[in-house]
Amino acid sequence: MTLKALVLNCTLNKSPQVSNTRALINEAITIFEDNGVSTEVLTMADYTIDYGITAEAVSDKDEWPEIFEKVKEADILIIGSPIWLGEQSSIATQTIERLYGGSSLTNEKGQYMYYNKVGGVVVTGNEDGAKNVSRYVLYSLSHIGFTIPPNVDTYWVGEAGPGPSFIEAKGYENEFTMQHVKIMAYNLIHFAKMLKEHPIPAEGNVIE
């Protein structure tokens, strides 16, 4: 069974700028690849994404439909976000809004199209807010149809105020963070396999 994972990195840094969020995402990717999960990471700042609550293009330059096609093909979706002022990045909020714009679409059974997909979140920052960002992302994904396994919020937070972020602070040496990367990755893989083999039955949840 081949699973596809898609990670939407909502750092404010465009490629090839250094992204601390991407560095933590890479820890999860290693586990995915070791378990045969095909993984793609998109840096959302590299794309032109218009504002709107729709899956369709808002303008001729809007590249969201290209990203949305990859979302539809994925079994696992992870949103990565830095923390700014205790909240998710503006790009993360915009990404959730565009995902919400496709939530009324349905699959071949007539269920919401995000059914039988699992979601998780990766957060980095040097101030408080990791659980707040995780709550926002995971609730949003659950609300639009994603299945949220237990303990799929992975984060690293440094000391309050200005200071070294994940890479410079060697966050990969943090036992708690690395343990939760492993828990998140394996739980996402397990639930994605389970839903692939035993999809949510179309009973009581078909959109009419």
Side-chain angles (χ1 to χ4, degrees), residues 2-208:
T2 301
L3 296 176
K4 291 183 179 180
L6 177 66
V7 185
L8 304 181
N9 182 10
C10 298
T11 175
L12 300 183
N13 295 330
K14 293 186 177 183
S15 301
Q17 297 179 64
V18 173
S19 166
N20 287 282
T21 304
R22 175 59 189 264
L24 183 50
I25 287 169
N26 286 345
E27 299 292 336
I29 291 174
T30 297
I31 297 174
F32 284 156
E33 292 180 345
D34 288 345
N35 285 271
V37 178
S38 173
T39 308
E40 182 176 9
V41 181
L42 301 181
T43 299
M44 301 302 284
D46 293 343
Y47 294 85
T48 299
I49 303 173
D50 288 336
Y51 296 103
I53 310 295
T54 176
E56 298 181 357
V58 176
S59 71
D60 292 340
K61 296 182 179 181
D62 187 8
E63 296 179 283
W64 175 256
E66 172 187 341
I67 297 168
F68 187 60
E69 288 302 312
K70 295 178 182 290
V71 172
K72 290 195 289 185
E73 295 172 0
D75 303 295
I76 299 170
L77 179 71
I78 294 176
I79 303 292
S81 177
I83 303 167
W84 294 111
L85 297 173
E87 304 285 345
Q88 66 282 352
S89 71
S90 56
I91 295 177
T93 298
Q94 184 186 29
T95 297
I96 293 291
E97 289 173 346
R98 294 305 299 263
L99 286 170
Y100 188 33
S103 63
S104 62
L105 302 176
T106 55
N107 62 23
E108 67 279 358
K109 294 181 180 179
Q111 302 164 310
Y112 287 127
M113 68 157 295
Y114 299 129
Y115 268 42
N116 302 311
K117 300 179 184 294
V118 298
V121 61
V122 170
V123 185
T124 61
N126 58 4
E127 58 186 78
D128 192 21
K131 291 183 178 179
N132 178 55
V133 173
S134 297
R135 179 173 62 241
Y136 167 77
V137 172
L138 294 180
Y139 170 75
S140 298
L141 293 180
S142 173
H143 181 72
I144 61 179
F146 284 85
T147 295
I148 308 300
N151 302 120
V152 288
D153 55 323
T154 295
Y155 62 88
W156 181 90
V157 180
E159 295 183 0
S165 293
F166 180 80
I167 297 172
E168 184 182 354
K170 298 182 179 180
Y172 51 83
E173 295 180 351
N174 184 284
E175 183 178 348
F176 177 86
T177 297
M178 291 302 99
Q179 180 186 45
H180 275 262
V181 169
K182 184 182 295 184
I183 292 172
M184 179 192 73
Y186 277 97
N187 284 358
L188 286 171
I189 292 169
H190 174 75
F191 273 76
K193 285 182 178 178
M194 184 173 66
L195 290 172
K196 197 93 165 178
E197 295 174 350
H198 304 286
I200 299 170
E203 181 177 354
N205 55 43
V206 174
I207 309 307
E208 300 176 352

